[in-house]
Amino acid sequence: MAHVLIVEARFYDHLNDMLVAGARAAIEAAGHSHETVTVPGALEVPGAIALASDSSRYDAFVALGVVIRGETYHFEIVANESARGIMALTMDGLAIGNGILTTETEAQAIARADPAQLDKGGGAALAALAMLGLRERMG
């Protein structure tokens, strides 16, 4: 049984609740355990995963959050740099599912976060578990 850390960037509570619910349901359905930690924003997610990876407590990680385009360049910085940080950690061998949504509107985010619709939180959890399985087969 794997132990998975869900790292959520808690900014839009109602959207994060859906993402986390989907991730937890997918992990539990696969027979694994999980913990959840909260960070201020999407830019902090890779750092939290890096810190947690220094311990041997976690086998895989799920990155969750929502970034909705606003009127400034901040959207591009947050979307690109959080993805870059997560990708760098995966290249170092960590099993991570990236469920940080980057959308134009709240309606798009709701459709993607809702477990009854696109369930991107659940999808990110399944991706993390798939990468963990691949690492175990290759390693």
Side-chain angles (χ1 to χ4, degrees):
M1 176 171 73
H3 191 55
V4 181
L5 181 63
I6 299 168
V7 179
E8 67 158 333
R10 192 86 182 165
F11 193 79
Y12 299 100
D13 289 342
H14 64 298
L15 299 172
N16 274 72
D17 287 345
M18 290 188 281
L19 286 170
V20 171
R24 287 177 176 163
I27 293 165
E28 291 167 7
H32 303 292
S33 63
H34 57 81
E35 289 178 48
T36 303
V37 297
T38 301
V39 297
L43 286 174
E44 289 76 36
V45 170
I49 292 172
L51 290 171
S53 71
D54 288 339
S55 79
S56 59
R57 293 179 56 185
Y58 308 105
D59 302 297
F61 304 89
V62 180
L64 298 177
V66 179
V67 184
I68 299 173
R69 184 180 299 279
E71 297 177 3
T72 69
Y73 185 67
H74 185 68
F75 173 87
E76 282 82 6
I77 292 170
V78 174
N80 293 336
E81 292 304 311
S82 64
R84 185 195 59 75
I86 291 167
M87 183 57 65
L89 293 168
T90 63
M91 298 300 288
D92 287 341
L94 297 183
I96 304 172
N98 186 352
I100 297 178
L101 305 180
T102 53
T103 65
E104 298 289 328
T105 66
E106 183 178 355
Q108 291 173 345
I110 290 169
R112 285 156 180 76
D114 187 350
Q117 295 184 54
L118 296 175
D119 192 21
K120 295 298 185 178
L126 293 176
L129 294 172
M131 292 306 292
L132 176 62
L134 181 63
R135 186 179 73 203
E136 289 171 350
R137 282 198 320 267
M138 300 289 183

